Amino acid sequence: MEFGESVPVAEEPQDQAHGSIHDEGDWGKIAETLRKSIGGDAFQRWFGAATWGGASNGQGAVIVPGEIHQVWIETNYLPELLYAASQATEGLHKINILVAENSGTGEASIDDFSAAAPQVRKEMPGEMLDKRAAAAGLNPGYTFENFVVGGNSQFAHAACEAVATKRSVGYNPLFIHGGSGLGKTHLMHAIGREILRRRPDCRVIYLTCEKFTNEFIEAIRKGEIEKFRRRYRSSDVLLIDDVQFLAGKERSQEEFFHTFNTLLDGRNQVVLTSDRPACEIKSIEPRLISRFECGLAVELQPPQIETRIAILRKKTAEWKVSIDESVLLFLAEKIRSNVRRLEGALVRVATFASLAGESVSVQKVEHLLRDFIQEEASRQVTIDGIQRAVAETFDLRLADMISRRRPASIAFPRQIAMYLSRSLTHNSLVEIGESFGGRDHGTVIHACKKVVSELEKQPGLRERIERIEQQLRR
Ligand code: ADP
Ligand code: MG
């Protein structure tokens, strides 16, 4: 049976206490478990007139009298329902909520939402949620369901889900960092949307750090600073994207610091993203960095090939386009470092395929995407390449890059190489440490900090490092 399909409603009289049934045994057990987990009132209101439509191929169906029931159950009770059904019938992994064909009997009125809300968890049906999410500045496509989790994002994803689903999980602020196009904004929106779904009356605000700064300047100009403060300091959940943008903006940093403290003191959730770890954001006040670091920091890394393929499959399914598997594989192999670019390449291929009205071959795609592919290849700077270039510039042996020798004439170039590995490759701190003779990630962080501080002090160092960068990019 397809989701959303209508089916004829059962003829038998309805047993309001347990719902009428096709299969008395099955539904009896399911109803009992469900009633226990969601409470008698909620059960009666939403499942009182439901019927069991049977199960096949691991999918079960519950038939409800109207669309309101369908939406409400889908939004609020699917996990409980699936759990209850899987207790009764082994191997179930999905439940479809179907609207009976002659709906109209037992139809819930809109008042049922407000009447039901105080007794059950307050969650919103789809349409209302979309409106609230849009008002909060959230993109409807950026949900947890649409996010493909891989080894590169497992930890970050789990932390985001925890913040979204558990109150006072203690990750405050949650600081998501990682290179461009790796899904930071996507996850941040997903958090906001999930919180709104669970707690409709929550004041969620998403904005970019750039917007925060611009609004702040505008508020000063118009003498409306109090209004500005009230708005942001009274939010329950504040999501600020790309905080690296605060670098060098002293007054905005000051304002941000106070907003931040007010929210944290009130135990309101703050989520931040940045294209680099907090300690690597230049020209930013130390007190702000230590604030950023007082919660949980999670890193998004570029996805592995399997995850890249899974992302492409998911997108083609979402867009309802069919692209040959060999083409998807080709894209996943060629575009490695950035999901946004991967998506961009897929859009181009999909557009071409739909305009041409034919399926595209790998050969065709290679031609279609030659600029993407060339650029991608030129971006691949490796740790090994960096070590060689630094050793050459400082007249050292390559072995010194991984040795334990500590004279400054060796240690500092080695730190520069770690710093460059951090800024030019997508390797994690741990991987970088390993490539430098099995050092730990703390050593890499220390090296990066050291280079940043030396850049301020040593004349000519910046030019020297930039020359190495240029050489690597060639
Ligand atoms: P960032 O904020 O890190 O620069 P975005 O969150 O804007 O990156 O992601 C760029 C694009 O890639 C978005 O369209 C997003 O939906 C998509 N994307 C990134 N990671 C994933 C993922 N793991 N699964 C599905 N889509 C992803
Ligand atoms: Mg972003």
Side-chain angles (χ1 to χ4, degrees), residues 163 166-173 199 202 233 235-238 259-270 291:
V163 164
K166 300 189 186 82
R167 278 204 208 199
S168 58
V169 67
Y171 304 154
N172 210 4
R199 293 154 55 196
C202 207
R233 294 185 190 184
S235 58
D236 298 309
V237 179
L238 186 61
T259 305
F260 202 80
N261 285 344
T262 310
L263 292 175
L264 256 50
D265 288 347
R267 306 185 60 134
N268 298 320
Q269 181 70 45
V270 178
R291 274 313 212 176

Side-chain angles (χ1 to χ4, degrees), residues 66 90 449:
E90 240 179 359
K449 282 187 177 162

Side-chain angles (χ1 to χ4, degrees), residues 169-177 256-257 260-265 267-272 277-279 285-298:
V169 67
Y171 304 154
N172 210 4
L174 177 65
F175 190 92
I176 310 167
H177 64 96
F256 193 73
F257 181 72
F260 202 80
N261 285 344
T262 310
L263 292 175
L264 256 50
D265 288 347
R267 306 185 60 134
N268 298 320
Q269 181 70 45
V270 178
V271 183
L272 308 168
C279 65
E285 283 184 62
R287 61 175 182 168
L288 203 48
I289 292 181
S290 68
R291 274 313 212 176
F292 289 170
E293 288 174 338
C294 72
L296 177 72
V298 290

Side-chain angles (χ1 to χ4, degrees), residues 192-373:
R193 191 176 175 88
E194 185 58 27
I195 291 179
L196 276 179
R197 194 175 79 76
R198 291 171 174 260
R199 293 154 55 196
D201 46 7
C202 207
R203 259 178 62 77
V204 175
I205 303 181
Y206 164 86
L207 79 168
T208 61
C209 189
E210 187 175 3
K211 185 154 183 245
F212 180 89
T213 305
N214 291 343
E215 281 190 14
F216 172 61
I217 294 166
E218 191 65 12
I220 298 177
R221 199 180 61 78
K222 287 192 184 154
E224 290 179 349
I225 194 73
E226 276 318 309
K227 197 170 137 203
F228 174 87
R229 288 189 175 141
R230 252 199 324 277
R231 174 166 161 74
Y232 292 110
R233 294 185 190 184
S234 69
S235 58
D236 298 309
V237 179
L238 186 61
L239 312 166
I240 301 215
D241 212 352
D242 291 318
V243 292
Q244 76 276 359
F245 191 81
L246 278 178
K249 304 191 173 62
E250 278 151 38
R251 285 195 69 184
S252 296
Q253 284 181 28
E254 165 100 20
E255 182 62 27
F256 193 73
F257 181 72
H258 292 299
T259 305
F260 202 80
N261 285 344
T262 310
L263 292 175
L264 256 50
D265 288 347
R267 306 185 60 134
N268 298 320
Q269 181 70 45
V270 178
V271 183
L272 308 168
T273 73
S274 160
D275 68 356
R276 65 204 76 181
C279 65
E280 288 177 21
I281 306 177
K282 291 172 199 144
S283 315
I284 197 160
E285 283 184 62
R287 61 175 182 168
L288 203 48
I289 292 181
S290 68
R291 274 313 212 176
F292 289 170
E293 288 174 338
C294 72
L296 177 72
V298 290
E299 182 174 9
L300 279 173
Q301 304 222 343
Q304 300 293 314
I305 179 94
E306 299 81 14
T307 312
R308 298 201 295 276
I309 295 170
I311 291 173
L312 291 172
R313 289 203 186 117
K314 181 129 197 157
K315 302 274 171 197
T316 49
E318 242 171 65
W319 303 338
K320 299 192 173 58
V321 293
S322 108
I323 307 274
D324 207 70
E325 194 65 18
S326 61
V327 169
L328 296 186
L329 210 64
F330 176 81
L331 292 179
E333 263 167 12
K334 290 293 177 194
I335 301 170
R336 297 159 180 244
S337 54
N338 181 326
V339 182
R340 186 179 295 114
R341 291 172 56 77
L342 190 64
E343 205 178 86
L346 185 64
V347 168
R348 197 186 285 182
V349 172
T351 313
F352 179 85
S354 76
L355 287 179
E358 55 182 81
S359 72
V360 278
S361 65
V362 170
Q363 214 178 10
K364 188 88 214 165
V365 170
E366 210 167 350
H367 182 72
L368 201 62
L369 297 177
R370 58 195 180 284
D371 52 336
F372 266 90
I373 293 165

